[in-house]
């Protein structure tokens, strides 16, 4: 019988609640005890009533709710060694021997750090007399299971992160609405979508809404005079009879010198060079709001169930896993490798090696 702590961390994402529900209910079904850790890593550091045993009925209705009902936070203390050590102490005090973290790139990087440092923390806490030898012996290892809750779909090791599908759905609905008014007035629209340093949402939104032009971080325009190419493309489609122009720009879009490409700048170019009546819409938090789409309910549920199974299968030698989905199959892969592979994309972009960045993104899905 394991005591399993569950937390959601970083940016919220639709599907986190279905995932929490699955972990709680699968844990209970497997005769384990699930514990909510409220407000992400902040709850881990604060301890006390921020850590509470969860019952079957506590997660009733979670399937249809967006956001995260157990709260999330950005926690500065957890970035420091001392904060993480306090988190370890709180876990041990509550008798928690496995931790499920549902979060994005940053949260899972933090989880991986906790995993790597765990034995050192336990030894230090024992040395300082804050835990007994019996506690130290029982908690020499901690199983941490990661699941990627992120609308950005920016983590290697999974084809889809929990929340990405719902966010894309919301973007498509919004752009459809924008397009009907844009067509009426023959306007151009520049729509900025989320995704941080990942262009997945923007790319898929552009394909799904029939955008005329797209900017994503992994594939900046190849030439400095990209404004002229963009204008020529948009003009050609107007000349062919289209009544609107739609440009989708990822929030992390950059040019080939790594300078940001912003929606307002694109609007100014279209207005001055082409004379189009151009409006900017920054979709913002509407993208992360609302009920989870079917796929995120399904993905969260299947992964949450697998997280509990992974905990029960693990031996002290098993590396901490991240649960994902590749080619429609729920997968379990080492957390450490997923974090490293994801980091390589950012490094390739920083080094302006965009071919490699695109290759790595594609490889991380196909792996
Ligand atoms: P996301 O998980 O959505 O990417 P953040 O990057 O804000 O969101 O990370 C969420 C939290 O995870 C942070 O507030 C911090 O507590 C923790 N975290 C992120 N990166 C690290 C790190 N390198 N080391 C330790 N903790 C981290």
């Amino acid at each position: 019988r394991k005591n399993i702590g569950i937390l959601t961390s970083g940016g919220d994402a639709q599907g986190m609640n279905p995932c929490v529900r699955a972990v709680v209910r699968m844990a209970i079904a497997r005769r384990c005890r699930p514990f909510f850790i409220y407000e992400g890593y902040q709850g881990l550091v604060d301890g006390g009533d921020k850590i509470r045993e969860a019952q079957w009925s506590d997660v009733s209705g979670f399937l249809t709710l967006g956001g995260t009902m157990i709260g999330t936070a950005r926690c500065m203390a957890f970035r420091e060694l001392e904060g993480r050590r306090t988190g370890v102490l709180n876990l041990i005090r509550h008798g928690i021997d496995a931790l499920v973290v549902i979060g994005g790139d940053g949260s899972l990087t933090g989880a991986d750090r906790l995993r790597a440092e765990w034995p050192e923390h336990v030894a230090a806490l024992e040395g300082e007399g804050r835990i007994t030898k019996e506690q130290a012996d029982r908690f020499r290892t901690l199983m941490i299971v990661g699941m990627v809750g992120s609308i950005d779909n920016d983590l290697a090791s999974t084809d889809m992160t929990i929340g990405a599908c719902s966010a894309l759905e919301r973007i498509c609905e919004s752009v459809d609405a924008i397009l009907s008014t844009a067509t009426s007035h023959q306007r151009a629209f520049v729509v900025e979508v989320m995704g941080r340093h990942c262009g997945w949402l923007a790319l898929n939104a552009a394909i799904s809404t029939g955008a005329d032009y797209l900017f994503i971080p992994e594939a900046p325009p190849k030439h400095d005079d990209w404004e002229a190419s963009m204008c020529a493309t948009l003009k050609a489609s107007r000349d062919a009879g289209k009544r609107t122009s739609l440009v989708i720009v990822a929030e992390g879009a950059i040019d080939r010198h790594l300078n940001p490409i912003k929606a307002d700048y694109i609007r100014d170019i279209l207005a001055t060079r082409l004379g189009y009546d151009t409006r900017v819409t920054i979709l913002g938090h509407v993208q992360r709001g609302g009920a989870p789409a079917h796929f995120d309910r399904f993905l969260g549920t299947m992964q949450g169930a697998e997280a509990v199974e992974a905990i029960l299968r693990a031996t002290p030698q098993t590396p901490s896993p991240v649960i994902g989905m590749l080619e429609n199959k729920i997968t379990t892969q080492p957390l450490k490798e997923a974090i490293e592979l994801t980091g390589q994309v950012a490094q390739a972009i920083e080094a302006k090696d965009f071919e490699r960045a695109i290759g790595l993104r594609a490889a991380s899905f196909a792996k």
Side-chain angles (χ1 to χ4, degrees):
R1 281 183 61 130
K2 296 261 182 195
N3 294 335
I4 303 175
I6 308 155
L7 63 85
T8 53
S9 170
D12 66 329
Q14 306 98 324
M16 281 181 160
N17 286 322
C19 191
V20 168
R21 170 182 176 273
V23 175
V24 167
R25 293 198 166 169
M26 192 66 176
I28 294 171
R30 291 289 192 189
R31 310 183 67 76
C32 296
R33 293 173 66 195
F35 287 78
F36 287 144
I37 299 168
Y38 293 101
E39 318 302 343
Y41 290 128
Q42 194 60 52
L44 201 60
V45 175
D46 293 348
D49 61 1
K50 296 263 184 71
I51 303 179
R52 178 176 78 76
E53 186 166 357
Q55 309 298 334
W56 185 275
S57 59
D58 286 338
V59 290
S60 288
F62 269 36
L63 266 183
T64 60
L65 300 174
T68 166
M69 295 298 287
I70 60 172
T72 182
R74 297 219 145 89
C75 172
M76 288 313 287
F78 196 76
R79 291 181 180 272
E80 309 298 327
L81 187 94
E82 200 43 49
R84 292 194 292 280
R85 186 153 299 168
T86 309
V88 172
L89 181 61
N90 285 325
L91 284 173
I92 293 176
R93 279 187 179 151
H94 282 84
I96 291 175
D97 36 27
L99 179 66
V100 175
V101 176
I102 309 164
D105 185 10
S107 303
L108 297 185
T109 304
D112 191 46
R113 234 167 145 178
L114 187 67
R115 173 200 61 76
E117 293 169 356
W118 184 268
E120 188 190 314
H121 285 310
V122 172
L125 289 168
E126 187 187 2
E128 292 162 13
R130 295 162 86 186
I131 56 171
T132 63
K133 182 171 183 321
E134 291 70 41
Q135 283 175 314
D137 287 342
R138 181 172 162 212
F139 294 100
R140 284 283 170 220
T141 57
L142 175 89
M143 181 69 172
I144 299 184
V145 181
M147 281 179 280
V148 201
S150 167
I151 66 164
D152 303 332
N153 205 15
D154 58 348
L155 223 103
S157 81
T158 187
D159 287 344
M160 286 289 274
T161 57
I162 298 167
C165 180
S166 305
L168 182 58
E169 196 61 38
R170 219 107 298 149
I171 293 169
C172 288
E173 286 164 6
S174 308
V175 173
D176 289 351
I178 287 167
L179 280 180
S180 58
T181 162
T183 311
S184 310
H185 291 272
Q186 301 195 50
R187 281 187 179 129
F189 268 85
V190 182
V191 179
E192 183 191 291
V193 306
M194 284 182 166
R196 291 225 248 180
H197 304 293
C198 182
W200 187 89
L201 280 175
L203 172 64
N204 284 275
I207 293 169
S208 308
T209 59
D212 298 285
Y213 223 81
L214 166 72
F215 294 93
I216 58 171
E218 298 89 342
K222 288 198 168 56
H223 305 289
D224 287 340
D225 194 15
W226 56 265
E227 293 92 339
S229 317
M230 175 181 68
C231 289
T233 305
L234 265 54
K235 184 168 182 314
S237 92
R238 287 282 181 122
D239 288 347
K242 196 170 174 185
R243 287 173 59 87
T244 61
S245 308
L246 172 65
V247 177
I248 293 194
V249 52
E251 65 179 342
I254 45 176
D255 67 15
R256 65 193 191 110
H257 306 291
L258 310 185
N259 300 312
I261 296 182
K262 287 295 172 198
D264 285 347
Y265 177 71
I266 299 170
R267 187 234 359 249
D268 292 346
I269 295 291
L270 299 185
T272 53
R273 296 201 192 177
L274 293 172
Y276 294 167
D277 180 4
T278 309
R279 307 294 164 100
V280 168
T281 299
I282 295 175
L283 290 179
H285 284 78
V286 72
Q287 295 164 90
R288 18 176 36 109
H294 142 264
F295 186 77
D296 285 323
R297 301 178 194 200
F298 167 80
L299 191 63
T301 301
M302 300 307 277
Q303 292 192 357
E306 174 59 17
V308 174
E309 297 291 10
I311 289 166
L312 294 177
R313 273 199 310 269
T315 68
Q317 286 73 41
T318 309
S320 282
V322 61
I323 312 293
M325 193 199 62
L326 293 171
E327 296 176 350
N328 283 331
K329 296 196 174 51
I330 300 298
T331 54
T332 304
Q333 295 179 67
L335 177 60
K336 190 166 176 286
E337 284 175 23
I339 297 297
E340 281 168 4
L341 194 56
T342 305
Q344 286 173 20
V345 182
Q347 285 159 16
I349 292 176
E350 261 167 46
K352 302 183 187 173
D353 190 347
F354 302 113
E355 293 289 323
R356 182 169 153 73
I358 282 282
L360 282 166
R361 276 270 192 258
S364 76
F365 292 130
K367 193 170 170 240

